[in-house]
Amino acid sequence: MTESRNTFLRSMRTVAWAFLGLRKRSGHDDDLSHLRPSHLIAAGLIGGAVFVLLLILAVRLATA
């Protein structure tokens, strides 16, 4: 259980760095060799949803 949670948190960190576009090649290769594809997909969907919600919030605050 702990290893699975640790892998998912590492996936979330990897996705966050990917959204920013800041990633070293060695770190990218290391992450891909240790992460599960299902965790990366889930982390990407969660990260995308959070990003869209933040954009909606920013627009609502700007137009209020």
Side-chain angles (χ1 to χ4, degrees):
M1 174 87 175
T2 304
E3 183 178 331
S4 178
R5 180 177 174 187
N6 191 22
T7 304
F8 185 73
L9 292 176
R10 190 171 182 176
S11 298
M12 290 298 292
R13 187 185 70 192
T14 300
V15 169
W17 280 113
F19 278 177
L20 292 174
L22 302 172
R23 197 77 184 132
K24 289 184 179 179
R25 181 71 167 167
S26 60
H28 175 74
D29 292 339
D30 184 48
D31 282 340
L32 288 181
S33 66
H34 290 95
L35 297 176
R36 295 179 183 174
S38 60
H39 286 179
L40 283 175
I41 291 169
L45 291 173
I46 291 169
V50 169
F51 180 70
V52 168
L53 291 174
L54 286 174
L55 285 177
I56 291 170
L57 178 66
V59 168
R60 287 190 179 192
L61 288 174
T63 59

